[in-house]
Amino acid sequence: MISSTSLLLLLLLGFSRALPLQEEGDQEEEKEEGADTVDMTTRILTANNASDEMLLEGDIMLPKSRNAMKCWYNSCVWPKASNGKVVIPYVIGREFSGYERGIIEGGMRAFSGPTCIRFTPRTNERDFISVVSKQGCWSELGKTGGMQELSLNKQGCIYSGIVQHELNHALGFQHEQTRSDRDNYVRINWGNIIQQSAYNFQKHDTNNLNTPYDYSSIMHYGRDAFAIAYGRETITPFPNPNVPIGQRQGLSRWDVQRINMLHGC
């Protein structure tokens, strides 16, 4: 039997699909206004639901030439220039509107104040990030060499928090809830996880840079990531189960420190 809440959601979904398409400017304005009403994890996983890419943990591009899970240790960190800055060239696809490009570049600028990372428009550099609108929100892990893609689908990924999350993958960071010591800080509720998605919660032999577990990291997924049903919690913090996780406002204090530590800044 369908609950009254589920029935209401289905009716609202049907009504929304029946509405006429908005003008582009209205759609763009709505993106920013609704940015804080939906959990970032939900946005990413929803956008990636129909992706035909091989993705690990929901939004990490499966490597074609090496094991991404070992990226943390290898020479896939973007190099530091003589001035102490880590300059990362980028190209943003022409499919993005000026408004969308502004959000993407705004997410990039969020790194330039507290960290040594500087995202800079590409001239002729060999190694660079190509921001495209493919199916879903995803990135390769760390510096792969040459052109490496970072997808921000126009229909679900153009939010500053998602931009920063995917860029942090490109800098070499995995999700917080898969770090090696996570069992000391969160409980994974395996019975609430979609069976075929359970592999996304496997721990990895990560280099935690001697930093504490960070519930507030922009790399931490939300409570119901890959849940079998709405309201079924897949990740529970402890000892305080009410600690907020999966925030989408921006880099946390420990995100910033780890970026600088990993890049020797």
Side-chain angles (χ1 to χ4, degrees):
M1 181 177 293
I2 300 177
S3 67
S4 58
T5 301
S6 298
L7 181 59
L8 177 59
L9 290 174
L10 288 173
L11 288 172
L12 289 173
L13 179 60
F15 179 71
S16 66
R17 287 181 175 175
L19 292 175
L21 291 176
Q22 295 174 297
E23 294 298 325
E24 182 178 354
D26 293 334
Q27 288 178 322
E28 293 170 344
E29 181 178 355
E30 181 181 343
K31 289 176 184 177
E32 275 299 279
E33 289 179 350
D36 292 329
T37 61
V38 179
D39 180 80
M40 181 178 69
T41 304
T42 301
R43 288 193 184 281
I44 292 175
L45 297 182
T46 299
N48 293 356
N49 189 46
S51 175
D52 57 2
E53 301 287 353
M54 294 296 292
L55 302 176
L56 300 171
E57 299 176 27
D59 67 336
I60 301 176
M61 170 66 76
L62 187 68
K64 299 178 177 63
S65 60
R66 56 179 170 75
N67 183 347
M69 295 304 110
K70 291 298 183 182
C71 174
W72 199 281
Y73 309 104
N74 297 338
S75 58
C76 58
V77 175
W78 294 84
K80 185 169 60 174
S82 58
N83 63 359
K85 307 300 181 184
V86 177
V87 179
I88 302 178
Y90 70 86
V91 172
I92 296 179
R94 294 182 178 179
E95 64 268 32
F96 294 103
S97 68
Y99 178 86
E100 292 164 337
R101 184 185 183 97
I103 293 176
I104 295 169
E105 292 184 325
M108 292 177 171
R109 286 194 299 272
F111 290 80
S112 64
T115 79
C116 60
I117 305 297
R118 299 292 183 271
F119 292 100
T120 306
R122 179 190 183 229
T123 52
N124 59 356
E125 294 86 355
R126 175 185 178 276
D127 301 329
F128 66 98
I129 292 175
S130 174
V131 182
V132 294
S133 176
K134 289 193 172 181
Q135 186 64 51
C137 330
W138 47 261
S139 172
E140 295 180 89
L141 189 62
K143 176 177 173 289
T144 62
M147 183 191 77
Q148 62 184 81
E149 289 186 327
L150 186 154
S151 175
L152 295 170
N153 185 269
K154 289 163 59 70
Q155 300 305 315
C157 308
I158 310 300
Y159 297 92
S160 181
I162 291 179
V163 173
Q164 293 176 55
H165 179 98
E166 299 305 337
L167 287 172
N168 225 23
H169 279 318
L171 291 177
F173 290 92
Q174 295 169 220
H175 293 125
E176 190 74 0
Q177 76 278 352
T178 61
R179 58 183 267 170
S180 57
D181 61 350
R182 65 98 187 277
D183 290 338
N184 297 324
Y185 305 96
V186 297
R187 180 177 67 252
I188 305 301
N189 304 309
W190 298 100
N192 291 342
I193 300 171
I194 299 170
Q195 185 175 5
Q196 59 267 36
S197 300
Y199 71 92
N200 292 298
F201 291 85
Q202 297 297 329
K203 291 185 297 183
H204 301 299
D205 184 18
T206 54
N207 174 7
N208 300 321
L209 299 169
N210 294 318
T211 61
Y213 191 90
D214 185 12
Y215 296 109
S216 64
S217 172
I218 200 170
M219 305 309 290
H220 205 305
Y221 263 12
R223 294 174 182 272
D224 59 354
F226 298 100
I228 57 177
Y230 177 78
R232 300 294 290 272
E233 197 169 275
T234 58
I235 306 173
T236 304
F238 67 82
N240 180 2
N242 298 316
V243 171
I245 60 174
Q247 64 88 12
R248 58 204 174 280
Q249 279 70 42
L251 300 171
S252 72
R253 179 171 66 91
W254 282 113
D255 286 332
V256 168
Q257 291 201 32
R258 290 170 185 167
I259 291 169
N260 287 332
M261 291 172 68
L262 186 65
H263 294 87
C265 302

